[in-house]
């Protein structure tokens, strides 16, 4: 009996110690993340464009593209995923493979490429201290796509990201390139310049307008340029426990439409939907 009681005490002590250590780990992680984010403006990420903020979120987006031949393609996932802030003014993302559904006779449905991102925030100030920031990121993709739903080669995409706020209005601008690691004569390279204007209209309401420009070098689109204007709106953030000021968990939603404004464009317009679990 004594042995059983002693064994039970050892088990409870080990279990309690493990649970406390886990609670301590997550509590420290949340505290560190909150402290890092407190040094930057509280703008929500745009619908399409990259952004200089460090965020911790699980994100699932859905896109419906309409091509010049009036065929539609659904993209479930849109190369989003899990975003984490491990510390050191950094963010690390894992992008799960999106699922591409074609509505064309010769199109084959399948999964796209897996991606990873590392972002470093050089400096930032929150709304009380000037509301600006400057970051850099590097995205790498792995050719995991099936039936030509991804790239035949991996790629890297370095990007410089900045933002400036003016009371309830802010502007985010990002400049980066997409560099395939192979078959560059076929795939070509590209430079993307995205600019977003946001306005904090109400507590949860963030209307926005994005300009999404891409310049192509090499490949089948060599020398061409495409541009989209993307009006949209983001509803952020709805806290799951609003009575707890320290609680980080919440959700955000948004929608918008990309509209081609250049003579050359790979699709006419695109409906974009975003859902985000913030923690």
């Amino acid at each position: 009996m004594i042995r059983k009681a002693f064994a039970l005490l050892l088990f409870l002590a080990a279990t309690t110690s493990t649970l406390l250590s886990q609670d301590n780990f997550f509590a420290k992680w949340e505290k560190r993340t909150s402290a890092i984010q407190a040094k930057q403006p509280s703008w929500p990420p745009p619908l399409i464009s990259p952004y200089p903020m460090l965020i911790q979120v699980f994100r699932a987006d859905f896109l419906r593209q309409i091509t010049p031949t009036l065929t539609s393609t659904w993209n479930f996932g849109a190369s989003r995923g899990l975003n984490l802030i491990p510390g050191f003014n950094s963010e690390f993302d894992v992008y799960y493979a999106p699922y591409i559904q074609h509505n064309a006779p010769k199109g084959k449905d399948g999964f796209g490429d897996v991606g990873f991102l590392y972002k470093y925030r050089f400096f930032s100030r929150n709304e009380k201290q000037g509301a600006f920031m400057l970051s850099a990121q590097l995205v790498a993709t792995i050719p995991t796509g099936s039936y030509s739903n991804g790239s035949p080669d991996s790629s890297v995409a370095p990007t410089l990201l900045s933002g400036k706020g003016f009371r309830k209005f802010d502007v985010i601008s990002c400049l980066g390139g997409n560099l395939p690691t192979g078959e560059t004569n076929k795939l070509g390279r590209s430079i993307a310049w995205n600019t977003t204007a946001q306005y904090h209209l109400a507590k949860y309401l963030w209307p926005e307008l994005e300009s999404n420009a891409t310049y192509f070098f090499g490949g089948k689109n060599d020398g061409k340029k495409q541009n989209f204007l993307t009006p949209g709106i983001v509803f952020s953030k709805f806290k799951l426990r609003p009575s707890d000021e320290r609680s980080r968990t919440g959700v955000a939603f948004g929608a918008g439409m990309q509209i081609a404004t250049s003579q050359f464009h790979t699709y006419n317009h695109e409906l974009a939907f975003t859902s985000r679990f913030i923690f």
Side-chain angles (χ1 to χ4, degrees):
M1 185 67 179
I2 295 177
R3 290 181 179 179
K4 291 182 177 180
F6 183 69
L8 179 61
L9 287 174
L10 287 178
F11 173 76
L12 291 175
T15 304
T16 303
S17 176
T18 302
L19 291 175
L20 287 175
S21 63
Q22 290 178 349
D23 290 342
N24 191 42
F25 172 79
F26 289 114
K28 287 183 177 179
W29 185 292
E30 287 186 338
K31 184 178 180 181
R32 180 174 63 245
T33 301
S34 296
I36 291 173
Q37 291 183 312
K39 298 178 182 179
Q40 67 184 22
S42 55
W43 310 325
L47 287 170
I48 305 295
S49 302
Y51 45 88
M53 301 84 75
L54 304 181
I55 66 170
Q56 188 160 275
V57 62
F58 182 83
R59 180 172 174 178
D61 287 13
F62 308 92
L63 308 175
R64 182 175 183 262
Q65 291 183 352
I66 307 297
T67 67
T69 58
L70 300 182
T71 60
S72 64
T73 302
W74 275 97
N75 184 320
F76 299 97
S79 299
R80 306 299 186 182
L82 180 64
N83 304 37
L84 296 173
I85 302 177
F88 311 105
N89 288 333
S90 300
E91 177 185 319
F92 180 75
D93 302 350
V94 179
Y95 298 147
Y96 54 82
Y99 185 78
I100 314 299
Q101 182 183 44
H102 302 274
N103 292 290
K106 296 183 179 180
K108 291 186 177 181
D109 303 341
F111 288 96
D113 297 336
V114 171
F116 302 90
L117 175 147
Y118 175 75
K119 181 188 297 182
Y120 183 80
R121 190 184 67 192
F122 293 111
F123 59 82
S124 65
R125 295 292 184 271
N126 59 29
E127 287 87 346
K128 295 181 180 179
Q129 299 176 326
F132 61 88
M133 68 177 68
L134 178 67
S135 304
Q137 69 179 32
L138 182 67
V139 178
T141 62
I142 301 173
T144 57
S146 58
Y147 303 114
S148 300
N149 287 301
S151 174
D153 283 281
S154 57
S155 66
V156 294
T159 303
L160 188 65
L161 316 102
S162 63
K164 179 69 176 78
F166 307 89
R167 296 187 178 181
K168 292 187 176 183
F169 177 77
D170 66 82
V171 177
I172 297 171
S173 191
C174 311
L175 181 65
N178 185 53
L179 311 173
T181 58
E183 299 186 54
T184 54
N185 292 334
K186 177 182 177 181
L187 298 175
R189 298 183 174 91
S190 62
I191 293 177
W193 183 17
N194 295 276
T195 301
T196 304
Q198 295 178 321
Y199 187 77
H200 195 185
L201 186 62
K203 183 177 181 180
Y204 302 109
L205 198 59
W206 293 79
E208 65 168 42
L209 179 64
E210 299 185 34
S211 174
N212 312 118
T214 307
Y215 304 85
F216 298 95
F217 303 91
K220 64 178 182 179
N221 296 325
D222 183 39
K224 296 180 179 179
K225 168 199 170 183
Q226 73 174 3
N227 191 81
F228 296 91
L229 286 180
T230 309
I233 189 167
V234 176
F235 302 90
S236 180
K237 132 184 166 180
F238 299 93
K239 296 185 68 172
L240 298 184
R241 291 183 291 173
S243 59
D244 185 357
E245 294 183 357
R246 295 178 298 176
S247 176
R248 294 181 45 83
T249 56
V251 293
F253 306 94
M257 177 180 284
Q258 278 195 318
I259 303 169
T261 58
S262 57
Q263 183 176 4
F264 168 77
H265 44 271
T266 54
Y267 53 92
N268 287 351
H269 57 271
E270 175 183 82
L271 288 170
F273 306 92
T274 183
S275 59
R276 306 163 184 179
F277 176 71
I278 304 164
F279 61 96

